[in-house]
């Protein structure tokens, strides 16, 4: 929670504090972009460090630095400091802790073992989606009751809690030594298919996030956009839980992930025929139910193909693919929506994702 909740709270908090600092929501969007770019660029480098050093020595200072940087953001805005510094601080707040999710994911296997891993990952998915559902509520409530600056200060509290909790992580050394490490190029060749499909999934989520306000506004039900995104998060948690409860499913983990991604794209593309705001909310819920198994099956597939000496870096590359995919989805939607309706734009993205998943299913599995 200490590593995930700040990432989920940051986008809305940065938009609000950027508006408070300059009176312009565009500047808030710039802060979000800087934070996301910092995460995506730094994740592979940070993951490399996670593989070489014990998790307690890496995750603790990374989360502590994240807390300090969000606190600095709040201080700069609260004291009317230089706005030119805010994007740089936001980028560092994304970059420095970028390896923590991958490091924690790698540590999870060591703690629970392979036998209990599916159920542990199912619980992890529930907690992750709970963070994304709870985050906007915490930020908006804090901003409304106090100020956006206080909301950013609240973001800083959670990585501080995570840093203290990380002190209890195992102190075993990472398996990647200076003399025996799988090269980055080799690792990328092993993971390229999984990373592309991970990015495709998050492209869908980015598009569905950006399109929600105009989509529901077109049906005269603008307040339901938040309900739809909450339903998506709830569906993802439930879908992951249901997938994890059952021990075996037909096919390999890669085939299961691809099949659910294909269904997800087809369901979203099929939303072109809907005309009711209630049905759109149900569409978001169903999309979440399908995303949960995709996330879990893809993560279990990574367990089987990652070299033991590059686990944290592999999961950090996946984390970077999530960031790039989410950003690409928002960008594509923003460009498409200017020339067509929100519903048609979402249909196009759904069709693209379904086509990518279908191609992956038809390609032979990597030996």
């Amino acid at each position: 929670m200490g590593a995930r909740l700040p990432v989920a709270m940051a986008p809305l908090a940065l938009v609000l504090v950027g508006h408070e600092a300059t009176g312009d929501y565009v500047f808030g969007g710039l802060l979000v972009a800087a934070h996301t770019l910092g995460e995506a660029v730094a994740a592979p480098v940070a993951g490399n460090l996670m593989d070489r050093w014990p998790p307690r020595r890496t995750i603790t200072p990374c989360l502590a630095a994240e807390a300090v940087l969000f606190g600095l953001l709040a201080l700069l805005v609260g004291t009317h400091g230089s706005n030119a510094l805010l994007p740089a601080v936001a980028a560092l707040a994304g970059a420095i802790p970028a390896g923590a999710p991958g490091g924690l994911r790698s540590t999870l296997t060591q703690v629970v073992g392979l036998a209990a891993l599916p159920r542990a990952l199912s619980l992890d998915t529930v907690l992750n989606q709970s963070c994304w559902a709870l985050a906007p509520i915490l930020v908006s409530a804090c901003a409304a009751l106090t100020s956006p600056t206080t909301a950013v200060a609240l973001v800083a509290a959670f990585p501080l809690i995570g840093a203290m909790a990380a002190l209890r992580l195992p102190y075993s050394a990472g398996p990647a030594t200076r003399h025996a490490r799988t090269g980055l190029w080799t690792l990328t060749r092993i993971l390229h298919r999984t990373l592309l499909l991970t990015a495709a999934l998050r492209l869908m989520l980015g598009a569905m996030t950006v399109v929600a306000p105009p989509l529901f506004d077109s049906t005269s039900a603008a307040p339901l956009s938040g309900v739809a995104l909450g339903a998506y998060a709830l569906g993802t948690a439930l879908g992951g839980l249901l997938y994890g409860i059952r021990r075996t499913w037909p096919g390999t983990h890669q085939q299961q992930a691809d099949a659910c991604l294909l269904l997800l794209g087809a369901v979203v593309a099929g939303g072109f025929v809907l005309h009711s705001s209630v049905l759109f909310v149900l569409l978001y819920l169903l999309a979440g139910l399908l995303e949960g198994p995709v996330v879990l099956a893809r993560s279990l597939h990574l367990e089987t193909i990652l070299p033991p000496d590059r686990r944290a870096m592999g999961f950090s590359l996946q984390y970077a693919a999530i960031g790039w995919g989410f950003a690409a989805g928002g960008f594509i939607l923003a460009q498409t929506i200017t020339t067509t309706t929100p519903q048609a734009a979402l249909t196009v993205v759904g069709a693209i994702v379904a086509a990518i998943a279908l191609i992956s299913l038809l390609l032979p599995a990597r030996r």
Side-chain angles (χ1 to χ4, degrees):
M1 296 285 282
R4 298 272 179 72
L5 200 52
V7 176
M9 295 173 69
L12 181 57
L14 290 173
V15 167
L16 294 176
V17 85
H19 179 264
E20 182 180 41
T22 64
D24 187 1
Y25 282 114
V26 174
F27 185 73
L30 174 63
L31 296 182
V32 175
H35 184 264
T36 303
L37 186 62
E39 287 179 308
V41 171
V45 178
N48 183 36
L49 297 178
M50 298 286 170
D51 277 322
R52 297 175 63 176
W53 294 334
R56 191 187 303 180
R57 285 182 55 190
T58 50
I59 295 175
T60 299
C62 284
L63 293 180
E66 183 182 20
V68 170
L69 287 165
F70 274 110
L72 179 59
L73 270 173
L75 180 64
L76 286 172
V77 176
T79 58
H80 305 288
S82 174
N83 291 336
L85 293 175
L86 297 182
V89 176
L92 287 174
I96 291 178
L104 288 169
R105 172 63 185 83
S106 178
T107 304
L108 180 64
T109 306
Q110 303 174 25
V111 173
V112 303
L114 290 176
L117 188 59
R119 282 170 288 175
L121 288 178
S122 176
L123 178 60
D124 181 66
T125 300
V126 172
L127 291 174
N128 186 38
Q129 293 305 314
S130 298
C131 287
W132 282 96
L134 181 63
I137 298 174
L138 288 174
V139 172
S140 56
C142 185
L145 294 173
T146 55
S147 70
T149 302
T150 308
V152 172
L154 178 63
V155 176
F158 291 101
L160 186 60
I161 296 172
M164 291 187 289
L167 292 173
R168 299 181 65 85
L169 289 172
Y171 198 73
S172 58
T177 66
R178 183 180 299 275
H179 301 289
R181 293 199 307 270
T182 302
L184 177 59
W185 175 246
T186 301
L187 184 65
T188 304
R189 284 194 295 108
I190 293 172
L191 299 181
H192 72 276
R193 183 168 170 176
T194 296
L195 296 178
L196 286 172
L197 289 164
T198 297
L201 174 64
R202 292 305 172 176
L203 184 148
M204 172 73 77
L205 177 57
M208 295 186 74
T209 300
V210 172
V211 83
L215 178 66
F216 283 90
D217 189 52
S218 67
T219 61
S220 302
L224 285 181
S225 61
V227 175
L229 292 173
Y232 192 96
L234 177 63
T236 303
L238 183 59
L241 184 62
L242 293 175
Y243 177 86
I245 288 175
R246 180 170 173 172
R247 292 180 179 272
T248 58
W249 293 88
T252 65
H253 293 311
Q254 177 176 298
Q255 292 169 338
Q256 293 160 12
D258 292 345
C260 288
L261 184 61
L262 174 59
L263 287 173
L264 172 58
V267 165
V268 174
F272 185 77
V273 302
L274 302 181
H275 301 287
S276 165
S277 56
V278 175
L279 292 178
F280 281 128
V281 172
L282 293 176
L283 174 70
Y284 271 71
L285 177 63
L286 180 57
L289 284 169
L290 290 168
E291 180 181 319
V294 177
V295 173
L296 266 180
R298 193 78 67 202
S299 190
L300 289 169
H301 174 62
L302 273 178
E303 287 286 343
T304 64
I305 64 174
L306 272 177
D309 63 338
R310 284 298 200 181
R311 301 182 62 80
M313 188 172 185
F315 288 116
S316 293
L317 284 172
Q318 184 190 37
Y319 185 67
I322 289 172
W324 287 114
F326 190 92
F331 178 78
I332 292 173
L333 217 296
Q335 301 304 310
T336 310
I337 208 169
T338 59
T339 58
T340 184
T341 65
Q343 199 169 355
L346 190 58
T347 297
V348 170
V349 173
I352 292 173
V353 171
I356 293 172
L358 180 60
I359 292 172
S360 180
L361 271 172
L362 295 177
L363 287 175
R366 184 184 182 279
R367 293 185 180 275

